[in-house]
Every structure is written in structure tokens, then in C-alpha cells.
Amino acid sequence: MPGETAPPCTIVFSNINFVVLGVLCVFGFLYYVSVFCVIVPWLSYSVPGITNMGVLTLTTGVSLYCYLFCVLLDAGRAPSDYDPDQEIAKVLEVKRKDHHCPWTNNCIGHANYRAFFLFLIYVNAALLHVVGLLGAHALHILQTSHMQRVLRTGPQAKPVQLAGGWIGSVWLWAVLQLVAFGIALPLTIGLLLLFIWHVQLVGVNKTTIEYQEGVTASINAAASGVPLDQVHTHPYDLGVYANLMSIFGNNPAAWLLPPLAPTPGGTSYPTKWDMPMGGPDHEEREAKLLGLVA
């Protein structure tokens, strides 16, 4: 909202634990196998090879940046002197707990949710790329003569003869790629499902806690005989475009850019009853209400 500031951009290295280090190791392992066991020996430094390497490096780098953003920076919290005016506010929402993510060893809140959502976009792009590369290369190896010990490159590149011994054997590379595929495939499925769920949450402007509370309210209403259409609607659902603006900002061209600082605000949010109902200055008043312009 106008006048609200972002949480201090303080890096908390104590959030790095063994789980976070394990995630970082997975990042490094999948990238190493994809580049140095698949792209370089198979496609060489041809145009397809450079293109694949560049795209994978971009998606992996941005997803790693967003992940570390969620790990190291504060998720946002109400100021110690925060006291909302209950008479003015049409909706007063009180949460009893934060949403702590064990994979980041940090909470996912207002200040870092944009980074978290972008992480889901880029990490899924990177994982789909990795699974595609590993799968295509596996099919290629199955079609290559084992006796010739050849990992053939692209149409205009020369075949690569692997050296003798264990280090240069096809079997070592096959084991590395099999392990990488076994890690990447379930990760891709799981994170794709998580991404789809958060797309649905963003579409109606809900947090995970609000979603869980809504499910509980629906169950209680059904148990008490209250029709579902009489259960209260979510007051913060402003429409898809306004919901996206409240998370990513008012410039769609910058929505996919990784954040440089925690998202400001977080102590008050407009509801559907606060939104202007048409008029020549509808869009400007809507943007002001969302805290996107002064």
C-alpha cells in the first residue's frame, strides 16, 4: 500500500542448513550432468549445443537466485507496533501461524512470495529441459554401437570417441545420467503440481493458509447443513489481472524478472468491496488502491 516500506534486506546465513545444502547439491549435480555428460559430448559447441547450454544456464541461474532469495531474506512480518484500525477496516484477518517451508528453512510470506513463484516457474523450466535432454540422450545411446564406444554429436559435428578405462567409459556416464534422471523426473512431477496449485492460488489471491482455512470452512459448513453457495466468498479476490498486479507489480514486462529486494507492504490489502466500480479514472484509482502508484 502507499507509504509502506519493504522489510530490511538483511541476509540471514543461519537459514542455510543441511536441507538447503542438499537442495544446492541437487542443483549442481543436475546441471553438471546435463552440460558435461550430455550437451558437450553429444551436441558439442554447435549452435544446438550452445543454445541448449545457454537456456539451461539461464533457467538454472534464475531459479537458483530466487531460491536463495527465499532462503536468505526475511519473508516479512507485522511491525512490533502494528495496530490495525478495526473500525475502518472492512475485513480484519488474523493469522495464528506463518507458512514455514522446510525446503528453504524459512517462511514464505508477502516479502518473498514473488521470488518463490518465479522460482517455481524457472525451476520447472530447467527440470523439464533436463528431463528432455537426459531422455533424448538415453535414446541416442541405445541406438549407438557399444563396440564403437561413440557418443555421436549433432549432424555437422564429428563423433566423440571416449577414452578407455572407467573414467571414460560409457557405463560411468550412463550411471550418472540414470541417477540424474531418477532425481529430475520425480522433482519435475512434484514441482509442476506445486506450480499448478500456486497458479490456482494466485488466480484467486489466496495464500496457502487461506486455502486451508477455506477448505476447513467448507467442511464445517457441509457438516452443519449450510449450503456451499452461502459460505462467504474470499474478499481479496480482485480479479485475475488485479491479483497478478498485487503480487508482481503494475508493469507486466517486468513480471518475470527476478526481484532485487523484498516486496514492500504487507500490513493491509484491498478487498473486492474497496475496488472502484468503473468510471473514466477506474484504472488509475484501482492502481492506487493496490499501492502500485503514488
Side-chain angles (χ1 to χ4, degrees):
M1 299 300 290
E4 293 184 312
T5 59
C9 193
T10 304
I11 298 177
V12 184
F13 288 104
S14 61
N15 286 345
I16 299 179
N17 61 3
F18 287 108
V19 174
V20 172
L21 290 175
V23 173
L24 296 178
C25 288
V26 170
F27 265 96
F29 176 71
L30 293 180
Y31 180 80
Y32 174 83
V33 172
S34 300
V35 172
F36 297 104
C37 296
V38 176
I39 295 177
V40 172
W42 185 28
L43 301 174
S44 186
Y45 294 101
S46 61
V47 172
I50 294 296
T51 301
N52 276 276
M53 191 183 305
V55 171
L56 184 60
T57 299
L58 175 65
T59 55
T60 302
V62 176
S63 61
L64 180 59
Y65 171 86
C66 291
Y67 174 74
L68 290 175
F69 191 103
C70 293
V71 170
L72 298 175
L73 297 181
D74 195 291
R77 64 192 71 238
S80 58
D81 58 347
Y82 176 64
D83 185 21
D85 191 332
Q86 300 186 23
E87 294 184 359
I88 296 179
K90 293 184 178 179
V91 175
L92 180 64
E93 188 171 12
V94 179
K95 300 300 178 187
R96 295 181 175 85
K97 58 183 180 178
D98 290 329
H99 182 78
H100 186 82
C101 175
W103 300 106
T104 63
N105 194 31
N106 197 4
C107 291
I108 302 300
H110 176 85
N112 63 2
Y113 184 74
R114 177 169 179 255
F116 176 74
F117 193 85
L118 290 177
F119 163 73
L120 291 179
I121 293 176
Y122 285 101
V123 77
N124 276 295
L127 284 172
L128 286 171
H129 195 174
V130 167
V131 170
L133 283 171
L134 292 171
H137 193 232
L139 292 176
H140 166 73
I141 290 179
L142 292 176
Q143 297 171 356
T144 301
S145 171
H146 173 65
M147 297 302 296
Q148 293 181 348
R149 302 170 60 79
V150 171
L151 291 179
R152 191 173 306 162
T153 62
Q156 298 178 348
K158 297 180 180 180
V160 175
Q161 290 287 140
L162 293 180
W166 172 246
I167 298 299
S169 71
V170 173
W171 294 110
L172 174 61
W173 288 32
V175 169
L176 289 175
Q177 292 179 51
L178 183 62
V179 172
F181 189 82
I183 294 174
L185 183 60
L187 275 179
T188 303
I189 296 173
L191 287 173
L192 268 178
L193 292 175
L194 181 63
F195 173 66
I196 292 172
W197 183 42
H198 275 274
V199 168
Q200 295 174 337
L201 292 178
V202 169
V204 294
N205 213 12
K206 283 186 178 182
T207 65
T208 53
I209 295 176
E210 288 167 340
Y211 171 82
Q212 293 168 357
E213 290 173 344
V215 171
T216 302
S218 299
I219 294 175
N220 293 337
S224 60
V226 178
L228 290 179
D229 57 359
Q230 294 183 16
V231 178
H232 73 279
T233 58
H234 186 57
Y236 300 103
D237 184 4
L238 311 177
V240 175
Y241 184 70
N243 294 342
L244 289 172
M245 284 202 303
S246 67
I247 295 174
F248 297 104
N250 64 337
N251 182 11
W255 281 357
L256 294 180
L257 297 180
L260 299 177
T263 304
T267 57
S268 61
Y269 301 91
T271 68
K272 60 176 60 181
W273 299 297
D274 300 317
M275 298 302 292
M277 302 300 292
D281 58 346
H282 168 78
E283 293 184 358
E284 180 180 353
R285 287 185 290 142
E286 180 181 274
K288 286 184 178 180
L289 193 57
L290 290 170
L292 303 175
V293 296

